[in-house]
Amino acid sequence: MARRKNFKRRRIILSNTFNLIRENGMDNVSFQMIAEKSGISKSLLQSYYPHKAKLTDDVVRNILNTLDEQVRKFNPTKEGNICARTKAFIYTVAMLGIYDKGLKRIISEVFSSNETLDNWSSMLNSWVKENQIFDEDHYNLNEVEYGIAFVVTGVGRLYHDSSRFNLSAEQLADYATSSLMYSFLHCNQEQVDKALEAGHKIIKSIDIKAIHNAIDTMFDEDKEIVC
């Protein structure tokens, strides 16, 4: 019973943190604000999350998991080409930033400095390994890791300055996916073209409103969460 209660409280903490940083930005949300919104003391909050970085990382991990689940749902071939799904995933991240100012604030802040970019790359690589996004029988996971770090830095800068570069969500996804495939997955032009076209087909079927709702409700009691 105590364990279930603790997990329930952790879910509440994550939900409140998500809503607060969505509204105010990560740098403007303190432990005290999260504790007050969650109806607990700051010291109790820190017994669950000693550091704010771990708390915000868990929020972002849940966003990543929810997005991946949603992109899989809209994948016409169910499994299909992992690189096509990568394009659709990046596209969805960019589109959500256009659709929702609060989510754009979170995404932009993740891409705002070298420190947060490094943290994002590390977290994304851990998430990729945990969820076996790239099959180690077909891909060199070390090179996948290098590729993710490279792509996150490049695309992160483009996304953060999107108004200056005036790139569409799909152009951003194309640049990121083709860079990863060419330089780190050692794919040829034909393979890249096929993946980008397959990714385009997934994108055409994606319902951003449905994905946005999934993000809104990802910490509801009936949803599986990562923490």
Side-chain angles (χ1 to χ4, degrees):
M1 178 66 73
R3 190 171 187 177
R4 184 182 300 173
K5 183 177 180 181
N6 289 345
F7 190 79
K8 182 177 180 180
R9 180 171 285 149
R10 195 179 291 269
R11 182 188 294 274
I12 292 169
I13 291 168
L14 287 169
S15 178
N16 288 330
T17 302
F18 173 58
N19 290 325
L20 283 168
I21 63 177
R22 188 179 189 175
E23 182 178 353
N24 302 288
M26 290 187 186
D27 291 341
N28 297 317
V29 173
S30 65
F31 260 14
Q32 188 61 44
M33 290 169 66
I34 298 167
E36 288 177 2
K37 192 169 181 65
S38 302
I40 58 177
S41 66
K42 182 179 176 181
S43 60
L44 181 55
L45 171 61
Q46 289 178 304
S47 71
Y48 285 90
Y49 287 99
H51 307 289
K52 182 182 169 184
K54 169 60 176 160
L55 178 48
T56 54
D57 281 359
D58 276 2
V59 169
V60 176
R61 281 178 187 274
N62 280 281
I63 293 174
L64 292 175
N65 277 353
T66 303
L67 289 179
D68 186 51
E69 288 171 4
Q70 292 299 308
V71 170
R72 286 173 187 266
K73 285 182 182 179
F74 288 106
N75 185 347
T77 58
K78 300 303 179 185
E79 290 302 323
N81 187 319
I82 181 60
C83 294
R85 205 166 77 235
T86 298
K87 169 179 171 172
F89 181 88
I90 296 168
Y91 166 86
T92 304
V93 171
M95 283 301 297
L96 282 171
I98 295 170
Y99 191 85
D100 184 309
K101 289 183 179 179
L103 290 176
K104 181 175 178 61
R105 183 180 293 113
I106 293 174
I107 297 165
S108 292
E109 288 187 357
V110 167
F111 292 145
S112 64
S113 70
N114 288 331
E115 182 180 354
T116 52
L117 280 170
D118 288 344
N119 185 51
W120 173 261
S121 294
S122 175
M123 182 179 57
L124 191 55
N125 272 305
S126 296
W127 175 75
V128 164
K129 289 175 182 177
E130 289 167 7
N131 292 276
Q132 299 179 327
I133 304 298
F134 287 91
D135 183 355
E136 63 182 340
D137 292 333
H138 296 91
Y139 298 100
N140 181 318
L141 296 187
N142 284 332
E143 292 205 68
V144 170
E145 184 172 349
Y146 305 150
I148 288 173
F150 178 84
V151 168
V152 164
T153 302
V155 174
R157 294 303 185 196
L158 290 176
Y159 182 88
H160 190 254
D161 295 325
S162 56
S163 59
R164 179 159 65 94
F165 291 109
N166 197 30
L167 294 173
S168 70
E170 185 163 6
Q171 284 176 314
L172 198 64
D174 280 345
Y175 285 139
T177 306
S178 58
S179 295
L180 179 65
M181 292 182 71
Y182 272 131
S183 301
F184 300 96
L185 304 184
H186 308 294
C187 299
N188 58 38
Q189 183 65 55
E190 182 181 1
Q191 290 171 314
V192 172
D193 289 344
K194 284 184 177 179
L196 295 184
E197 179 58 30
H200 180 71
K201 290 178 180 178
I202 300 173
I203 286 169
K204 286 175 68 176
S205 69
I206 282 176
D207 182 346
I208 292 297
K209 186 175 181 180
I211 295 177
H212 184 260
N213 181 66
I215 295 290
D216 273 343
T217 60
M218 65 183 173
F219 292 117
D220 286 2
E221 288 189 12
D222 60 330
K223 303 294 176 62
E224 185 176 346
I225 63 170
V226 179
C227 61

mmCIF file of all heavy atoms in Angstrom, residues 71-72 74-77 79-92 95 169-171 173-174 177-178 181 190-207:
data_model
loop_
_atom_site.group_PDB
_atom_site.id
_atom_site.type_symbol
_atom_site.label_atom_id
_atom_site.label_comp_id
_atom_site.label_asym_id
_atom_site.label_seq_id
_atom_site.Cartn_x
_atom_site.Cartn_y
_atom_site.Cartn_z
ATOM 1 N N VAL A 71 3.565 8.098 -32.474
ATOM 2 C CA VAL A 71 4.092 7.953 -33.839
ATOM 3 C C VAL A 71 3.938 6.522 -34.315
ATOM 4 O O VAL A 71 3.597 6.267 -35.476
ATOM 5 C CB VAL A 71 5.568 8.405 -33.909
ATOM 6 C CG1 VAL A 71 6.197 8.018 -35.254
ATOM 7 C CG2 VAL A 71 5.670 9.915 -33.711
ATOM 8 N N ARG A 72 4.158 5.562 -33.430
ATOM 9 C CA ARG A 72 3.963 4.153 -33.798
ATOM 10 C C ARG A 72 2.509 3.894 -34.206
ATOM 11 O O ARG A 72 2.243 3.120 -35.128
ATOM 12 C CB ARG A 72 4.342 3.240 -32.630
ATOM 13 C CG ARG A 72 5.840 3.122 -32.383
ATOM 14 C CD ARG A 72 6.098 2.333 -31.116
ATOM 15 N NE ARG A 72 7.489 2.313 -30.738
ATOM 16 C CZ ARG A 72 8.355 1.366 -31.065
ATOM 17 N NH1 ARG A 72 7.951 0.347 -31.822
ATOM 18 N NH2 ARG A 72 9.613 1.416 -30.677
ATOM 19 N N PHE A 74 0.498 5.924 -35.643
ATOM 20 C CA PHE A 74 0.211 6.519 -36.941
ATOM 21 C C PHE A 74 1.091 5.956 -38.058
ATOM 22 O O PHE A 74 0.998 6.404 -39.190
ATOM 23 C CB PHE A 74 0.367 8.040 -36.874
ATOM 24 C CG PHE A 74 -0.728 8.710 -36.104
ATOM 25 C CD1 PHE A 74 -0.496 9.220 -34.834
ATOM 26 C CD2 PHE A 74 -2.008 8.811 -36.626
ATOM 27 C CE1 PHE A 74 -1.511 9.834 -34.107
ATOM 28 C CE2 PHE A 74 -3.022 9.420 -35.911
ATOM 29 C CZ PHE A 74 -2.777 9.934 -34.656
ATOM 30 N N ASN A 75 1.952 4.981 -37.709
ATOM 31 C CA ASN A 75 2.809 4.350 -38.712
ATOM 32 C C ASN A 75 1.983 3.343 -39.497
ATOM 33 O O ASN A 75 1.584 2.319 -38.948
ATOM 34 C CB ASN A 75 3.979 3.649 -37.996
ATOM 35 C CG ASN A 75 4.987 3.070 -38.973
ATOM 36 O OD1 ASN A 75 4.714 2.964 -40.171
ATOM 37 N ND2 ASN A 75 6.136 2.693 -38.467
ATOM 38 N N PRO A 76 1.709 3.578 -40.770
ATOM 39 C CA PRO A 76 0.843 2.689 -41.553
ATOM 40 C C PRO A 76 1.345 1.252 -41.623
ATOM 41 O O PRO A 76 0.563 0.315 -41.735
ATOM 42 C CB PRO A 76 0.852 3.324 -42.957
ATOM 43 C CG PRO A 76 1.293 4.718 -42.749
ATOM 44 C CD PRO A 76 2.202 4.701 -41.563
ATOM 45 N N THR A 77 2.676 1.061 -41.534
ATOM 46 C CA THR A 77 3.232 -0.286 -41.620
ATOM 47 C C THR A 77 3.506 -0.873 -40.236
ATOM 48 O O THR A 77 4.173 -1.892 -40.117
ATOM 49 C CB THR A 77 4.541 -0.259 -42.421
ATOM 50 O OG1 THR A 77 5.462 0.629 -41.799
ATOM 51 C CG2 THR A 77 4.295 0.178 -43.852
ATOM 52 N N GLU A 79 5.479 -1.390 -37.887
ATOM 53 C CA GLU A 79 6.888 -1.317 -37.501
ATOM 54 C C GLU A 79 7.656 -0.473 -38.516
ATOM 55 O O GLU A 79 8.087 0.606 -38.242
ATOM 56 C CB GLU A 79 7.486 -2.731 -37.405
ATOM 57 C CG GLU A 79 6.950 -3.516 -36.225
ATOM 58 C CD GLU A 79 7.207 -2.829 -34.893
ATOM 59 O OE1 GLU A 79 8.278 -2.214 -34.722
ATOM 60 O OE2 GLU A 79 6.343 -2.898 -34.019
ATOM 61 N N GLY A 80 7.764 -0.988 -39.743
ATOM 62 C CA GLY A 80 8.350 -0.218 -40.830
ATOM 63 C C GLY A 80 9.810 0.146 -40.599
ATOM 64 O O GLY A 80 10.517 -0.467 -39.812
ATOM 65 N N ASN A 81 10.270 1.148 -41.303
ATOM 66 C CA ASN A 81 11.650 1.591 -41.276
ATOM 67 C C ASN A 81 11.881 2.493 -40.072
ATOM 68 O O ASN A 81 11.211 3.501 -39.916
ATOM 69 C CB ASN A 81 11.933 2.332 -42.595
ATOM 70 C CG ASN A 81 13.387 2.693 -42.752
ATOM 71 O OD1 ASN A 81 14.049 3.112 -41.807
ATOM 72 N ND2 ASN A 81 13.892 2.536 -43.965
ATOM 73 N N ILE A 82 12.874 2.145 -39.251
ATOM 74 C CA ILE A 82 13.141 2.930 -38.051
ATOM 75 C C ILE A 82 13.535 4.367 -38.410
ATOM 76 O O ILE A 82 13.213 5.312 -37.686
ATOM 77 C CB ILE A 82 14.244 2.258 -37.183
ATOM 78 C CG1 ILE A 82 14.521 3.064 -35.907
ATOM 79 C CG2 ILE A 82 15.515 2.072 -37.970
ATOM 80 C CD1 ILE A 82 13.331 3.236 -35.011
ATOM 81 N N CYS A 83 14.203 4.537 -39.544
ATOM 82 C CA CYS A 83 14.615 5.893 -39.943
ATOM 83 C C CYS A 83 13.416 6.724 -40.394
ATOM 84 O O CYS A 83 13.372 7.932 -40.161
ATOM 85 C CB CYS A 83 15.667 5.816 -41.045
ATOM 86 S SG CYS A 83 17.214 5.064 -40.477
ATOM 87 N N ALA A 84 12.442 6.071 -41.011
ATOM 88 C CA ALA A 84 11.205 6.769 -41.381
ATOM 89 C C ALA A 84 10.482 7.230 -40.117
ATOM 90 O O ALA A 84 9.962 8.349 -40.047
ATOM 91 C CB ALA A 84 10.312 5.855 -42.205
ATOM 92 N N ARG A 85 10.481 6.375 -39.127
ATOM 93 C CA ARG A 85 9.826 6.729 -37.866
ATOM 94 C C ARG A 85 10.599 7.828 -37.136
ATOM 95 O O ARG A 85 10.008 8.664 -36.451
ATOM 96 C CB ARG A 85 9.678 5.492 -36.980
ATOM 97 C CG ARG A 85 8.526 5.612 -35.986
ATOM 98 C CD ARG A 85 8.161 4.306 -35.348
ATOM 99 N NE ARG A 85 9.087 3.905 -34.320
ATOM 100 C CZ ARG A 85 9.731 2.740 -34.292
ATOM 101 N NH1 ARG A 85 9.544 1.867 -35.255
ATOM 102 N NH2 ARG A 85 10.541 2.438 -33.308
ATOM 103 N N THR A 86 11.925 7.820 -37.297
ATOM 104 C CA THR A 86 12.744 8.878 -36.712
ATOM 105 C C THR A 86 12.365 10.227 -37.302
ATOM 106 O O THR A 86 12.207 11.220 -36.579
ATOM 107 C CB THR A 86 14.245 8.607 -36.965
ATOM 108 O OG1 THR A 86 14.611 7.374 -36.325
ATOM 109 C CG2 THR A 86 15.109 9.741 -36.430
ATOM 110 N N LYS A 87 12.196 10.272 -38.631
ATOM 111 C CA LYS A 87 11.775 11.512 -39.278
ATOM 112 C C LYS A 87 10.420 11.960 -38.727
ATOM 113 O O LYS A 87 10.233 13.135 -38.389
ATOM 114 C CB LYS A 87 11.686 11.331 -40.789
ATOM 115 C CG LYS A 87 10.999 12.514 -41.477
ATOM 116 C CD LYS A 87 10.905 12.375 -42.984
ATOM 117 C CE LYS A 87 10.016 13.474 -43.556
ATOM 118 N NZ LYS A 87 10.022 13.533 -45.024
ATOM 119 N N ALA A 88 9.470 11.022 -38.632
ATOM 120 C CA ALA A 88 8.131 11.366 -38.150
ATOM 121 C C ALA A 88 8.180 11.846 -36.697
ATOM 122 O O ALA A 88 7.452 12.763 -36.300
ATOM 123 C CB ALA A 88 7.203 10.164 -38.282
ATOM 124 N N PHE A 89 9.062 11.250 -35.915
ATOM 125 C CA PHE A 89 9.210 11.628 -34.505
ATOM 126 C C PHE A 89 9.713 13.067 -34.393
ATOM 127 O O PHE A 89 9.168 13.878 -33.644
ATOM 128 C CB PHE A 89 10.179 10.658 -33.831
ATOM 129 C CG PHE A 89 10.397 10.909 -32.368
ATOM 130 C CD1 PHE A 89 9.564 10.341 -31.426
ATOM 131 C CD2 PHE A 89 11.438 11.705 -31.923
ATOM 132 C CE1 PHE A 89 9.757 10.572 -30.060
ATOM 133 C CE2 PHE A 89 11.644 11.938 -30.578
ATOM 134 C CZ PHE A 89 10.802 11.366 -29.650
ATOM 135 N N ILE A 90 10.769 13.390 -35.143
ATOM 136 C CA ILE A 90 11.335 14.744 -35.101
ATOM 137 C C ILE A 90 10.318 15.763 -35.605
ATOM 138 O O ILE A 90 10.166 16.849 -35.042
ATOM 139 C CB ILE A 90 12.637 14.804 -35.926
ATOM 140 C CG1 ILE A 90 13.698 13.900 -35.287
ATOM 141 C CG2 ILE A 90 13.157 16.237 -36.024
ATOM 142 C CD1 ILE A 90 14.908 13.647 -36.157
ATOM 143 N N TYR A 91 9.614 15.396 -36.666
ATOM 144 C CA TYR A 91 8.565 16.262 -37.208
ATOM 145 C C TYR A 91 7.511 16.568 -36.136
ATOM 146 O O TYR A 91 7.081 17.707 -35.965
ATOM 147 C CB TYR A 91 7.911 15.581 -38.402
ATOM 148 C CG TYR A 91 6.607 16.207 -38.852
ATOM 149 C CD1 TYR A 91 6.605 17.278 -39.752
ATOM 150 C CD2 TYR A 91 5.379 15.729 -38.390
ATOM 151 C CE1 TYR A 91 5.409 17.853 -40.173
ATOM 152 C CE2 TYR A 91 4.184 16.304 -38.803
ATOM 153 C CZ TYR A 91 4.211 17.357 -39.690
ATOM 154 O OH TYR A 91 3.020 17.923 -40.090
ATOM 155 N N THR A 92 7.121 15.544 -35.412
ATOM 156 C CA THR A 92 6.083 15.705 -34.393
ATOM 157 C C THR A 92 6.545 16.626 -33.266
ATOM 158 O O THR A 92 5.777 17.457 -32.779
ATOM 159 C CB THR A 92 5.678 14.326 -33.826
ATOM 160 O OG1 THR A 92 5.261 13.482 -34.899
ATOM 161 C CG2 THR A 92 4.536 14.459 -32.828
ATOM 162 N N MET A 95 6.296 20.107 -34.643
ATOM 163 C CA MET A 95 4.907 20.531 -34.806
ATOM 164 C C MET A 95 4.241 20.838 -33.477
ATOM 165 O O MET A 95 3.447 21.777 -33.372
ATOM 166 C CB MET A 95 4.113 19.468 -35.559
ATOM 167 C CG MET A 95 4.355 19.450 -37.055
ATOM 168 S SD MET A 95 3.956 21.028 -37.862
ATOM 169 C CE MET A 95 2.183 21.136 -37.540
ATOM 170 N N ALA A 169 8.590 22.197 -40.264
ATOM 171 C CA ALA A 169 8.829 21.043 -39.390
ATOM 172 C C ALA A 169 9.373 19.864 -40.191
ATOM 173 O O ALA A 169 10.269 19.141 -39.733
ATOM 174 C CB ALA A 169 7.529 20.656 -38.689
ATOM 175 N N GLU A 170 8.870 19.678 -41.405
ATOM 176 C CA GLU A 170 9.344 18.537 -42.210
ATOM 177 C C GLU A 170 10.753 18.777 -42.730
ATOM 178 O O GLU A 170 11.558 17.844 -42.800
ATOM 179 C CB GLU A 170 8.390 18.234 -43.364
ATOM 180 C CG GLU A 170 8.809 16.981 -44.118
ATOM 181 C CD GLU A 170 7.745 16.365 -44.998
ATOM 182 O OE1 GLU A 170 6.658 16.971 -45.142
ATOM 183 O OE2 GLU A 170 7.980 15.282 -45.538
ATOM 184 N N GLN A 171 11.087 20.002 -43.094
ATOM 185 C CA GLN A 171 12.463 20.284 -43.521
ATOM 186 C C GLN A 171 13.452 19.994 -42.388
ATOM 187 O O GLN A 171 14.514 19.410 -42.603
ATOM 188 C CB GLN A 171 12.584 21.751 -43.945
ATOM 189 C CG GLN A 171 11.985 22.053 -45.301
ATOM 190 C CD GLN A 171 12.054 23.541 -45.628
ATOM 191 O OE1 GLN A 171 11.723 24.393 -44.786
ATOM 192 N NE2 GLN A 171 12.483 23.867 -46.832
ATOM 193 N N ALA A 173 13.011 17.891 -39.950
ATOM 194 C CA ALA A 173 13.063 16.436 -39.792
ATOM 195 C C ALA A 173 13.887 15.780 -40.890
ATOM 196 O O ALA A 173 14.622 14.818 -40.641
ATOM 197 C CB ALA A 173 11.644 15.865 -39.789
ATOM 198 N N ASP A 174 13.796 16.297 -42.113
ATOM 199 C CA ASP A 174 14.578 15.761 -43.231
ATOM 200 C C ASP A 174 16.075 15.966 -43.001
ATOM 201 O O ASP A 174 16.882 15.058 -43.222
ATOM 202 C CB ASP A 174 14.171 16.429 -44.545
ATOM 203 C CG ASP A 174 12.896 15.837 -45.136
ATOM 204 O OD1 ASP A 174 12.488 14.750 -44.702
ATOM 205 O OD2 ASP A 174 12.320 16.479 -46.036
ATOM 206 N N THR A 177 17.231 13.576 -40.108
ATOM 207 C CA THR A 177 17.211 12.155 -40.457
ATOM 208 C C THR A 177 18.275 11.818 -41.491
ATOM 209 O O THR A 177 18.989 10.813 -41.362
ATOM 210 C CB THR A 177 15.821 11.755 -40.988
ATOM 211 O OG1 THR A 177 14.831 12.140 -40.037
ATOM 212 C CG2 THR A 177 15.743 10.260 -41.220
ATOM 213 N N SER A 178 18.404 12.648 -42.520
ATOM 214 C CA SER A 178 19.400 12.363 -43.557
ATOM 215 C C SER A 178 20.819 12.475 -43.008
ATOM 216 O O SER A 178 21.696 11.669 -43.366
ATOM 217 C CB SER A 178 19.211 13.289 -44.766
ATOM 218 O OG SER A 178 19.292 14.641 -44.389
ATOM 219 N N MET A 181 21.475 9.303 -41.048
ATOM 220 C CA MET A 181 21.594 8.136 -41.919
ATOM 221 C C MET A 181 22.888 8.150 -42.728
ATOM 222 O O MET A 181 23.584 7.137 -42.834
ATOM 223 C CB MET A 181 20.386 8.057 -42.847
ATOM 224 C CG MET A 181 19.080 7.755 -42.141
ATOM 225 S SD MET A 181 17.687 7.606 -43.286
ATOM 226 C CE MET A 181 18.082 6.044 -44.097
ATOM 227 N N GLU A 190 19.840 6.027 -51.955
ATOM 228 C CA GLU A 190 18.557 5.354 -52.184
ATOM 229 C C GLU A 190 17.861 5.026 -50.868
ATOM 230 O O GLU A 190 16.651 5.214 -50.724
ATOM 231 C CB GLU A 190 18.772 4.073 -52.994
ATOM 232 C CG GLU A 190 17.478 3.331 -53.315
ATOM 233 C CD GLU A 190 17.706 2.050 -54.099
ATOM 234 O OE1 GLU A 190 18.877 1.714 -54.384
ATOM 235 O OE2 GLU A 190 16.707 1.375 -54.405
ATOM 236 N N GLN A 191 18.630 4.544 -49.897
ATOM 237 C CA GLN A 191 18.057 4.211 -48.590
ATOM 238 C C GLN A 191 17.529 5.461 -47.885
ATOM 239 O O GLN A 191 16.465 5.430 -47.264
ATOM 240 C CB GLN A 191 19.116 3.522 -47.717
ATOM 241 C CG GLN A 191 19.489 2.127 -48.183
ATOM 242 C CD GLN A 191 20.687 1.574 -47.417
ATOM 243 O OE1 GLN A 191 21.694 2.261 -47.222
ATOM 244 N NE2 GLN A 191 20.586 0.328 -46.987
ATOM 245 N N VAL A 192 18.290 6.550 -47.994
ATOM 246 C CA VAL A 192 17.856 7.808 -47.377
ATOM 247 C C VAL A 192 16.557 8.289 -48.019
ATOM 248 O O VAL A 192 15.602 8.658 -47.326
ATOM 249 C CB VAL A 192 18.949 8.891 -47.494
ATOM 250 C CG1 VAL A 192 18.412 10.241 -47.016
ATOM 251 C CG2 VAL A 192 20.178 8.496 -46.690
ATOM 252 N N ASP A 193 16.533 8.296 -49.353
ATOM 253 C CA ASP A 193 15.340 8.765 -50.068
ATOM 254 C C ASP A 193 14.110 7.940 -49.697
ATOM 255 O O ASP A 193 13.019 8.486 -49.488
ATOM 256 C CB ASP A 193 15.564 8.700 -51.576
ATOM 257 C CG ASP A 193 16.555 9.752 -52.066
ATOM 258 O OD1 ASP A 193 16.822 10.702 -51.308
ATOM 259 O OD2 ASP A 193 17.056 9.609 -53.196
ATOM 260 N N LYS A 194 14.279 6.629 -49.606
ATOM 261 C CA LYS A 194 13.154 5.745 -49.251
ATOM 262 C C LYS A 194 12.663 6.028 -47.835
ATOM 263 O O LYS A 194 11.453 6.055 -47.574
ATOM 264 C CB LYS A 194 13.573 4.280 -49.383
ATOM 265 C CG LYS A 194 13.646 3.777 -50.809
ATOM 266 C CD LYS A 194 13.982 2.290 -50.849
ATOM 267 C CE LYS A 194 13.978 1.764 -52.281
ATOM 268 N NZ LYS A 194 14.338 0.325 -52.336
ATOM 269 N N ALA A 195 13.609 6.241 -46.924
ATOM 270 C CA ALA A 195 13.225 6.508 -45.530
ATOM 271 C C ALA A 195 12.487 7.834 -45.415
ATOM 272 O O ALA A 195 11.479 7.937 -44.700
ATOM 273 C CB ALA A 195 14.464 6.507 -44.635
ATOM 274 N N LEU A 196 12.980 8.856 -46.114
ATOM 275 C CA LEU A 196 12.335 10.174 -46.044
ATOM 276 C C LEU A 196 10.934 10.120 -46.652
ATOM 277 O O LEU A 196 9.995 10.746 -46.127
ATOM 278 C CB LEU A 196 13.182 11.228 -46.762
ATOM 279 C CG LEU A 196 14.560 11.525 -46.151
ATOM 280 C CD1 LEU A 196 15.243 12.657 -46.911
ATOM 281 C CD2 LEU A 196 14.465 11.857 -44.666
ATOM 282 N N GLU A 197 10.777 9.365 -47.733
ATOM 283 C CA GLU A 197 9.458 9.237 -48.351
ATOM 284 C C GLU A 197 8.512 8.454 -47.440
ATOM 285 O O GLU A 197 7.335 8.819 -47.277
ATOM 286 C CB GLU A 197 9.577 8.534 -49.705
ATOM 287 C CG GLU A 197 8.256 8.325 -50.423
ATOM 288 C CD GLU A 197 7.475 9.604 -50.687
ATOM 289 O OE1 GLU A 197 8.109 10.676 -50.861
ATOM 290 O OE2 GLU A 197 6.227 9.545 -50.702
ATOM 291 N N ALA A 198 9.017 7.377 -46.835
ATOM 292 C CA ALA A 198 8.190 6.601 -45.902
ATOM 293 C C ALA A 198 7.820 7.447 -44.690
ATOM 294 O O ALA A 198 6.697 7.369 -44.173
ATOM 295 C CB ALA A 198 8.940 5.337 -45.462
ATOM 296 N N GLY A 199 8.759 8.277 -44.239
ATOM 297 C CA GLY A 199 8.469 9.177 -43.126
ATOM 298 C C GLY A 199 7.406 10.188 -43.493
ATOM 299 O O GLY A 199 6.554 10.539 -42.672
ATOM 300 N N HIS A 200 7.450 10.645 -44.730
ATOM 301 C CA HIS A 200 6.431 11.600 -45.210
ATOM 302 C C HIS A 200 5.039 10.969 -45.159
ATOM 303 O O HIS A 200 4.051 11.628 -44.806
ATOM 304 C CB HIS A 200 6.764 12.046 -46.623
ATOM 305 C CG HIS A 200 5.775 13.010 -47.198
ATOM 306 N ND1 HIS A 200 5.672 14.323 -46.764
ATOM 307 C CD2 HIS A 200 4.827 12.852 -48.155
ATOM 308 C CE1 HIS A 200 4.714 14.932 -47.437
ATOM 309 N NE2 HIS A 200 4.180 14.069 -48.287
ATOM 310 N N LYS A 201 4.954 9.681 -45.510
ATOM 311 C CA LYS A 201 3.659 8.991 -45.478
ATOM 312 C C LYS A 201 3.129 8.886 -44.049
ATOM 313 O O LYS A 201 1.920 9.017 -43.813
ATOM 314 C CB LYS A 201 3.792 7.599 -46.096
ATOM 315 C CG LYS A 201 4.006 7.623 -47.603
ATOM 316 C CD LYS A 201 4.180 6.216 -48.172
ATOM 317 C CE LYS A 201 4.401 6.272 -49.674
ATOM 318 N NZ LYS A 201 4.630 4.911 -50.238
ATOM 319 N N ILE A 202 4.031 8.644 -43.112
ATOM 320 C CA ILE A 202 3.605 8.610 -41.701
ATOM 321 C C ILE A 202 3.097 9.992 -41.283
ATOM 322 O O ILE A 202 2.044 10.131 -40.659
ATOM 323 C CB ILE A 202 4.763 8.174 -40.780
ATOM 324 C CG1 ILE A 202 5.255 6.771 -41.146
ATOM 325 C CG2 ILE A 202 4.304 8.196 -39.313
ATOM 326 C CD1 ILE A 202 6.510 6.347 -40.392
ATOM 327 N N ILE A 203 3.862 11.011 -41.649
ATOM 328 C CA ILE A 203 3.510 12.387 -41.300
ATOM 329 C C ILE A 203 2.121 12.754 -41.808
ATOM 330 O O ILE A 203 1.335 13.415 -41.113
ATOM 331 C CB ILE A 203 4.571 13.367 -41.856
ATOM 332 C CG1 ILE A 203 5.850 13.285 -41.014
ATOM 333 C CG2 ILE A 203 4.052 14.801 -41.878
ATOM 334 C CD1 ILE A 203 7.033 14.003 -41.630
ATOM 335 N N LYS A 204 1.801 12.337 -43.021
ATOM 336 C CA LYS A 204 0.502 12.658 -43.617
ATOM 337 C C LYS A 204 -0.651 12.072 -42.809
ATOM 338 O O LYS A 204 -1.767 12.597 -42.834
ATOM 339 C CB LYS A 204 0.449 12.157 -45.064
ATOM 340 C CG LYS A 204 1.268 13.003 -46.036
ATOM 341 C CD LYS A 204 1.285 12.397 -47.433
ATOM 342 C CE LYS A 204 -0.097 12.459 -48.068
ATOM 343 N NZ LYS A 204 -0.065 11.953 -49.472
ATOM 344 N N SER A 205 -0.388 10.990 -42.103
ATOM 345 C CA SER A 205 -1.453 10.343 -41.333
ATOM 346 C C SER A 205 -1.520 10.818 -39.886
ATOM 347 O O SER A 205 -2.440 10.467 -39.146
ATOM 348 C CB SER A 205 -1.253 8.819 -41.348
ATOM 349 O OG SER A 205 -0.103 8.451 -40.597
ATOM 350 N N ILE A 206 -0.536 11.612 -39.474
ATOM 351 C CA ILE A 206 -0.454 12.031 -38.072
ATOM 352 C C ILE A 206 -1.519 13.075 -37.730
ATOM 353 O O ILE A 206 -1.756 14.012 -38.479
ATOM 354 C CB ILE A 206 0.957 12.585 -37.764
ATOM 355 C CG1 ILE A 206 1.940 11.420 -37.580
ATOM 356 C CG2 ILE A 206 0.965 13.473 -36.523
ATOM 357 C CD1 ILE A 206 3.377 11.852 -37.359
ATOM 358 N N ASP A 207 -2.142 12.883 -36.592
ATOM 359 C CA ASP A 207 -3.130 13.821 -36.064
ATOM 360 C C ASP A 207 -2.496 14.545 -34.871
ATOM 361 O O ASP A 207 -2.417 13.988 -33.778
ATOM 362 C CB ASP A 207 -4.387 13.062 -35.634
ATOM 363 C CG ASP A 207 -5.491 13.982 -35.106
ATOM 364 O OD1 ASP A 207 -5.207 15.156 -34.819
ATOM 365 O OD2 ASP A 207 -6.635 13.501 -34.960
#
